[in-house]
Amino acid sequence: MKKVLIATEKPFVTTAIKKIKKIFKEAGENYEVRLLEGYQSGNDLLQAVSDVDALIVRSDKIDREVIEASKHLKILVRAGSGYDNIDLGAATQKNIVVMNTPGQNANAVAELAIGLAIFGLREMFSGRPGGELRGRTLGLHGFGYVARNVFRIARSFGMKVIVFTRYSKSAAAAIGLKVTGSLEQLYEKSDIVSIHVPARGEHIRSVSYDVLKNLKDNALLINTSRKEVINEPDLIRIMEEKPFIKYLSDIKPDNENIFYERFPGRFFFTPKKAGAQTAEANTKAGLAAAEQIVKFFETGDSTFRVN
Ligand code: 3PG
């Protein structure tokens, strides 16, 4: 019997859980599904992982301590895209296969990015005169699954879309999207910049002063990615230097209080990361995670392995 734990500090919608359980039930008598939802303490997680063979998580912190407490773990699936919450080195040392479910929640995050852009342009529905998406230039910083969905939606709003990407240039060019020669150029030419790069490698703190100083005086910066890709002191500096720039993010910055003190009416942070928090995204990412686990145990498939 394989024990599968779904450990989500931010739980999936109940219909997604039902469908996940069905996947394991249909795979035979071999799976027992356990739930640890909305847990408050790391100890609850440490106890729950001790005897499981497979683990499904979201942004839950899976550090070395959790990995070491998972005595029988063979596969860990991050139901979502970013796996910066997982200590890959510790998992690899213990021969644990780590996977993500790329693209499954991309539309949900993209819709939030567009929603934040409208909210910012409309002066956060304060009654002050705002602006419209149509005719404005949207700069996509990165061109993965989320950015491609943002592109699709933005085009239907009549926006001009440009992109900076190092790794997906041909994919962008294939759909007629203009790729800028540098990140600085992207920030310079855009009315709205939407960030879609992972918190890994060269992307960490890549949104620095040298990039931000190119923003138009009244630009909107939208971040549905991770706070680690922003150099926060540099963002604060540019918001002081250019008093009409706004920052709207699905991730609270470390120095949230500074934004409240210095930039009233110029920022918005979701209270809890909300990009992938839709019934559709929960279901797609959760089902993909369950299917990947069944395939892994039944056939040895490790297609979405990231370690
Ligand atoms: C992701 O990386 O997939 C998104 O940031 C969603 O994260 P969440 O599952 O914690 O909402």
Side-chain angles (χ1 to χ4, degrees):
M1 177 70 80
K2 303 268 189 290
K3 298 181 186 75
V4 182
L5 175 69
I6 304 170
T8 47
E9 189 268 325
K10 187 172 61 182
F12 287 131
V13 65
T14 23
T15 48
I17 295 292
K18 276 192 193 141
K19 288 180 181 164
I20 292 171
K21 285 185 171 163
K22 195 161 169 255
I23 297 277
F24 287 110
K25 203 165 172 218
E26 284 172 1
E29 297 300 297
N30 201 18
Y31 298 93
E32 176 196 321
V33 180
R34 297 178 182 174
L35 274 183
L36 176 70
E37 292 184 317
Y39 57 92
Q40 303 291 322
S41 113
N43 277 340
D44 295 344
L45 180 61
L46 287 175
Q47 275 177 23
V49 296
S50 65
D51 64 340
V52 300
D53 303 279
L55 178 58
I56 297 176
V57 297
R58 296 183 65 180
S59 289
D60 305 76
K61 194 152 186 53
I62 308 298
D63 56 16
R64 184 171 286 278
E65 195 183 5
V66 178
I67 297 278
E68 275 168 10
S70 313
K71 302 261 180 293
H72 303 279
L73 194 63
K74 289 160 202 76
I75 177 164
L76 161 55
V77 183
R78 193 290 190 228
S81 166
Y83 45 88
D84 46 303
N85 52 319
I86 295 167
D87 187 333
L88 289 188
T92 307
Q93 271 172 21
K94 289 199 69 193
N95 286 326
I96 296 166
V97 170
V98 182
M99 296 183 187
N100 65 349
T101 65
Q104 300 294 348
N105 57 24
N107 181 64
V109 180
E111 288 190 14
L112 180 72
I114 293 288
L116 290 174
I118 293 174
F119 190 51
L121 269 184
R122 291 299 179 104
E123 298 292 340
M124 304 178 196
F125 306 147
S126 61
R128 291 189 298 274
E132 300 179 20
L133 293 180
R134 187 167 62 179
R136 282 193 160 74
T137 298
L138 172 70
L140 298 172
H141 178 169
F143 199 53
Y145 289 102
V146 177
R148 290 171 205 207
N149 278 280
V150 175
F151 165 65
R152 173 180 51 77
I153 301 167
R155 208 171 43 169
S156 72
F157 272 94
M159 299 191 83
K160 181 176 173 214
V161 186
I162 56 177
V163 64
F164 177 72
T165 171
R166 287 187 187 87
Y167 307 106
S168 306
K169 282 186 185 158
S170 48
I175 50 172
L177 195 46
K178 183 178 163 25
V179 182
T180 61
S182 67
L183 191 55
E184 288 76 5
Q185 277 174 17
L186 182 90
Y187 277 61
E188 185 195 325
K189 291 187 161 68
S190 304
D191 300 304
I192 301 167
V193 173
S194 192
I195 302 173
H196 301 291
V197 287
R200 284 199 301 276
E202 83 269 18
H203 301 302
I204 305 279
R205 285 184 291 283
S206 61
V207 184
S208 64
Y209 185 76
D210 283 345
V211 172
L212 290 165
K213 72 180 182 200
N214 299 289
L215 280 173
K216 292 183 184 178
D217 286 347
N218 59 354
L220 291 187
L221 183 62
I222 311 290
N223 184 6
T224 50
S225 169
R226 294 287 186 272
K227 69 177 184 264
E228 289 79 6
V229 302
I230 303 266
N231 181 320
E232 208 174 296
D234 287 3
L235 173 63
I236 291 167
R237 182 177 166 198
I238 203 71
M239 286 183 71
E240 272 167 347
E241 288 178 9
K242 298 196 182 195
F244 298 107
I245 285 180
K246 293 195 188 75
Y247 178 59
L248 294 96
S249 175
D250 192 23
I251 315 99
K252 285 185 188 177
D254 292 330
N255 298 293
E256 199 185 352
N257 58 323
I258 295 187
F259 287 81
Y260 279 96
E261 280 161 21
R262 300 189 200 167
F263 310 126
R266 296 175 55 204
F267 69 90
F268 175 77
F269 310 127
T270 52
K272 200 165 181 120
K273 196 149 131 276
Q277 200 57 329
T278 67
E280 292 88 342
N282 284 183
T283 305
K284 286 184 74 186
L287 282 187
E291 280 160 4
Q292 287 170 214
I293 288 171
V294 170
K295 263 188 164 179
F296 171 78
F297 282 124
E298 303 302 322
T299 70
D301 185 286
S302 59
T303 304
F304 295 103
R305 186 171 187 167
V306 294
N307 67 331

